[in-house]
């Protein structure tokens, strides 16, 4: 996934009573450091309450310490090596995430993801906030807590 600055897709009309097939939006890098590619979002479909897409963390990559203030996140790891997920008020909990694992991150839970592997960690991700500009708050004072 590449490093584009922002997603710019014209919203699709959702006033008709039908489903739709969505082509993935352009890739973009989010503030916390991972790469996103939206499938279903406010920008791509006019979705009101869900975002669904791909998320990737490159080899040797890590996210910055952050919380999502207003939404829960659910992930499914499709491929990659073992990823470290650090969570908790002091980032004191570390769990290994492997392909085939599901991840749940409640709203307002501090977290950092670290990919120490040699391949990109690729996830299908969903959240209950539809926009590309999610309610994310960085906590730079916590970054050094994760080795």
């Amino acid at each position: 996934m590449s490093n584009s600055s922002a997603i710019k897709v014209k919203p699709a009309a959702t006033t008709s009573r039908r489903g739709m097939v969505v082509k993935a939006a352009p890739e973009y890098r989010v503030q916390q450091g991972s790469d996103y590619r939206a499938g279903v979002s406010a920008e791509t479909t006019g979705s009101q309450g869900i975002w669904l897409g791909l998320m990737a963390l490159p080899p040797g990559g890590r996210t910055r310490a952050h919380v999502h203030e207003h939404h829960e996140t659910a992930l499914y790891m499709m491929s990659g090596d073992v990823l470290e997920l650090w969570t908790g008020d002091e980032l004191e909990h570390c769990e290994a995430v492997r392909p085939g694992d599901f991840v749940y991150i409640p709203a307002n839970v501090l977290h950092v993801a670290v990919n120490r592997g040699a391949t990109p960690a690729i996830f299908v991700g969903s959240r209950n906030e539809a926009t590309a500009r999610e309610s994310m708050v960085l906590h730079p004072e916590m970054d050094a807590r994760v080795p």
Side-chain angles (χ1 to χ4, degrees):
M1 300 183 96
S2 67
N3 184 8
S4 298
S5 61
I7 182 172
K8 294 179 184 169
V9 176
K10 183 179 178 184
T14 58
T15 56
S16 66
R17 294 189 41 82
R18 58 173 274 192
M20 65 178 69
V21 174
V22 181
K23 302 298 182 199
E27 300 164 350
Y28 60 102
R29 176 143 305 152
V30 293
Q31 237 183 334
Q32 62 266 35
S34 50
D35 296 323
Y36 282 19
R37 178 172 249 183
V40 174
S41 69
E43 295 81 7
T44 61
T45 66
S47 170
Q48 298 293 304
I50 190 168
W51 184 97
L52 174 67
L54 296 177
M55 301 172 177
L57 196 57
R62 64 187 291 142
T63 64
R64 298 165 69 191
H66 65 285
V67 300
H68 305 283
E69 284 187 306
H70 305 295
H71 69 269
E72 299 169 292
T73 302
L75 306 168
Y76 174 77
M77 189 170 182
M78 293 175 26
S79 62
D81 298 318
V82 175
L83 182 102
E84 295 174 8
L85 178 64
W86 295 79
T87 63
D89 292 342
E90 301 294 320
L91 296 170
E92 68 273 22
H93 305 289
C94 181
E95 293 186 74
V97 185
R98 293 177 174 82
D101 288 345
F102 291 89
V103 174
Y104 170 68
I105 302 171
N108 266 321
V109 169
L110 184 64
H111 58 286
V112 170
V114 181
N115 182 0
R116 299 187 200 280
T119 61
I122 308 291
F123 292 85
V124 172
S126 182
R127 61 175 188 252
N128 59 329
E129 183 173 46
T131 63
R133 298 277 183 207
E134 58 188 317
S135 60
M136 191 273 308
V137 176
L138 294 174
H139 287 270
E141 73 283 3
M142 301 300 285
D143 283 331
R145 293 192 178 259
V146 174

